[in-house]
Amino acid sequence: MACTSAPMDSAVAEATVVDVQLEDGDYSVVVPSSWPGAVVPVLLHVHGHHGTVDRSLEALNLEDADEMATLLVYPQGQNETWTVMGESLGGSGRDDLAFLTAVMDDVAARWPVDRARVYISGFSLGGSMTLTVLCMGLEGWTFAAAAPASGGWWDPLPATCAAPPTPLCRIHGTEDDQWTWEGREVTEEDGGPYQQIGVEEDVAWWRDHNRCTSSQPDDPIASGELSCSYWSDCEAPVGLCAYEGGHKPVHEWLLRELEWMKVFSR
């Protein structure tokens, strides 16, 4: 199944948005109308640098979100950014692993979470934060699958990763000028110097981590405007979906990414 399989028909019911304030920040949850009385899977979605929860939610069709029967959790980055791999790369100034742990703990205290089906995705620096969460961990939480978009590892690549092999599908534009396909240096003018890792090198790192036995993918799969390659001879599959375009949020694909991720559980 492609990580962006065809969208589902719109539901009659509509999800609702709940805003929550914590001591160290805030988050919003898109709650499906079907949640009472049953455990539900959770998707933690991390916005990009200079992003906001409000702008993320504006791009979301609540009827389609309702049909996914999943809690969609949108945390707000401090100063609209994130602290990646424990460094101040994004300028957050907050312990974001502790914050995201508090968010997930609070979600579980309010709603009947299915802990075997907890997923994570993110856009741009949120994609980097997705990988940070996987490898550095949130205490008490394990993720069943991940889908970072338009962002990944920074140099140097981590020497170790605490996550077990985890299904992961990366989405990236071939004409992205913010996080180029080959990777680029972020200069002092833009808050650097930092070096982005190229998409193919990033995916190769995950193939090694997920213990794939071949560097050659299965036959490509076309999914709308995406061309997807998958490595399935692994302890957990790795995917790369490319599109002919630049650096843009992929909210129109978010629910289809979730459909792919929900195949997996811990």
Side-chain angles (χ1 to χ4, degrees):
M1 179 184 292
C3 70
T4 55
S5 45
M8 305 171 72
D9 293 335
S10 294
V12 174
E14 184 173 289
T16 57
V17 177
V18 177
D19 301 316
V20 180
Q21 180 69 48
L22 299 179
E23 181 177 352
D24 205 19
D26 57 89
Y27 71 95
S28 296
V29 179
V30 179
V31 184
S33 60
S34 59
W35 81 261
V39 294
V40 284
V42 177
L43 172 66
L44 177 64
H45 182 74
V46 189
H47 66 68
H49 188 54
H50 294 316
T52 67
V53 170
D54 287 345
R55 286 200 292 273
S56 295
L57 292 175
E58 284 172 6
L60 188 66
N61 183 312
L62 291 181
E63 290 185 354
D64 290 345
D66 190 79
E67 189 153 341
M68 294 309 298
T70 300
L71 291 174
L72 307 180
V73 180
Y74 288 81
Q76 178 60 52
Q78 184 161 278
N79 302 321
E80 299 184 354
T81 192
W82 303 99
T83 301
V84 175
M85 289 306 288
E87 303 291 338
S88 57
L89 184 148
S92 163
R94 176 177 66 187
D95 182 343
D96 281 324
L97 291 174
F99 169 64
L100 293 177
T101 301
V103 167
M104 294 301 292
D105 288 347
D106 192 72
V107 168
R110 294 171 183 267
W111 291 279
V113 169
D114 183 350
R115 286 180 174 264
R117 294 187 296 162
V118 179
Y119 310 101
I120 184 167
S121 65
F123 171 72
S124 192
L125 193 68
S128 299
M129 196 64 200
T130 295
L131 305 185
T132 296
V133 168
L134 282 183
C135 279
M136 298 188 73
L138 302 184
E139 186 176 353
W141 293 92
T142 302
F143 292 88
S150 304
W153 285 130
W154 298 77
D155 187 55
L157 286 162
T160 60
C161 178
T166 302
L168 181 140
C169 183
R170 174 144 179 196
I171 297 177
H172 210 95
T174 57
E175 300 167 17
D176 195 321
D177 62 354
Q178 296 299 305
W179 195 299
T180 65
W181 192 269
E182 299 78 16
R184 73 176 179 97
E185 181 183 3
V186 178
T187 64
E188 290 185 16
E189 255 180 33
D190 295 325
Y194 301 108
Q195 180 66 45
Q196 297 168 344
I197 297 295
V199 174
E200 293 179 6
E201 184 180 357
D202 188 306
V203 170
W205 189 95
W206 279 101
R207 291 202 308 267
D208 287 343
H209 179 74
N210 283 3
R211 303 189 182 104
C212 299
T213 58
S214 174
S215 61
Q216 297 301 312
D218 306 333
D219 291 339
I221 298 172
S223 178
E225 52 187 304
L226 297 176
S227 175
C228 299
S229 297
Y230 293 93
W231 291 262
S232 59
D233 193 8
C234 316
E235 290 192 14
V238 176
L240 171 60
C241 290
Y243 61 90
E244 294 182 1
H247 195 74
K248 61 178 182 179
V250 289
H251 293 103
E252 65 268 31
W253 298 327
L254 176 62
L255 299 183
R256 285 177 281 166
E257 293 172 17
L258 176 58
E259 188 178 12
W260 176 80
M261 287 188 281
K262 284 176 69 175
V263 171
F264 307 102
S265 62
R266 287 288 186 195

